[in-house]
Amino acid sequence: MASPDAWLGLARRAGRIAVGRVACRQALRDRRAAALVVAQDASDAAKRHWARVAPRHGVPVVLWGDMRRLARALGAPGQPGVVAILDRAMAQNFLASVNECVEDARGRRPSECRSDVP
């Protein structure tokens, strides 16, 4: 299965991503967001906000990567703290790849999913 980075890059190339606070808020309001990805180094207030707001819209939220890693995966300028995936299938595949990256049965994380790998 592809890495979470690859799924984010694919979604961006397909034009199925909203990047940043304003764009993600609008995607939630318009019911276009299928999943929200919040950077682990986003502010605590931002993490609490998205963890509270997204479920109200029936959208799963995942803390993943840091802002630099999100920017690198998206090929986007700046360092986004939140990204919305707008395609349901891509969101499901991203979430599945994140779950697969958490750890395998022996407690080891696959190298392509480790956050310390450049």
Side-chain angles (χ1 to χ4, degrees), residues 2 30 37 68 86:
D30 294 346
V37 182
R68 281 186 18 211
L86 307 178

Side-chain angles (χ1 to χ4, degrees), residues 90-110:
M90 287 182 187
Q92 288 173 348
N93 285 319
F94 172 81
L95 294 171
S97 67
V98 167
N99 287 336
E100 194 172 281
C101 287
V102 173
E103 59 185 51
D104 66 13
R106 294 186 188 121
R108 296 177 302 184
R109 293 176 59 167

